[in-house]
Amino acid sequence: MSDWLIPYLAFNGNCEDAVHFYQKVLGGEVQILHFKDAPPNPEFPVQDHLKNLVLHAELRKDGHIIRFSDTFPGVPFIPGNTVSFSIEFETAEETKDVFEALSSGGKIEMELQKTFFSPLYGKCTDKFGIHWQVSCKAHH
């Protein structure tokens, strides 16, 4: 089973400001990865005006984590749909089982697949309208 159920907050171009605001208010350590920091992918080229947007950020304090990102290019920003839950598993089998169960009767936004940051990662909305990001921990 997963060690974490992590809130994931999406922003509309102002994510970095929000991360620093929450760090100032709550304390903790921040890590920020911008779109320009990701390995190039010819299927998803990043336009110059989007390169400084936040691809992924984390605020960590006392064993707790909040994750953040700007809305991905081409994905509409819909107020009210800006919170999802990120959940990580130790094994690919567990990751696949949970992803299949959560997406059953719901909608898959991104099929479970290998990414540069995870051996398996996918996004779905469950049958109750809750947004999930499911991943397998990267073992370095």
Side-chain angles (χ1 to χ4, degrees):
M1 190 60 189
S2 168
D3 296 329
W4 304 100
L5 182 60
I6 302 169
Y8 206 114
L9 309 176
F11 294 86
N12 195 21
N14 58 347
C15 181
E16 192 158 354
D17 291 340
V19 170
H20 290 301
F21 170 77
Y22 293 123
Q23 181 186 31
K24 183 178 178 183
V25 171
L26 302 172
E29 299 293 320
V30 166
Q31 294 178 321
I32 297 176
L33 179 70
H34 297 92
F35 279 92
K36 66 183 176 191
D37 302 323
N41 181 341
E43 293 181 34
F44 300 102
V46 178
Q47 299 169 352
D48 285 343
H49 71 284
L50 302 173
K51 290 186 177 184
N52 288 322
L53 292 179
V54 175
L55 173 64
H56 178 81
E58 291 187 356
L59 174 61
R60 294 175 173 261
K61 182 179 180 186
D62 300 330
H64 299 281
I65 300 172
I66 303 173
R67 291 181 173 160
F68 309 82
S69 72
D70 278 308
T71 304
F72 279 48
V75 176
F77 179 82
I78 303 169
N81 284 352
T82 58
V83 176
S84 63
F85 290 98
S86 175
I87 190 164
E88 294 181 314
F89 297 93
E90 291 290 335
T91 68
E93 183 179 329
E94 211 173 9
T95 304
K96 289 176 185 174
D97 290 347
V98 170
F99 186 79
E100 287 175 14
L102 284 172
S103 62
S104 178
K107 179 181 177 198
I108 295 174
E109 276 92 43
M110 180 179 173
E111 291 286 347
L112 206 54
Q113 60 192 272
K114 182 177 178 18
T115 65
F116 72 93
F117 55 86
S118 173
L120 280 175
Y121 172 83
K123 292 169 59 172
C124 67
T125 302
D126 70 22
K127 63 184 175 182
F128 300 105
I130 305 300
H131 302 278
W132 295 92
Q133 298 182 50
V134 181
S135 62
C136 185
K137 288 184 181 179
H139 297 283
H140 303 285

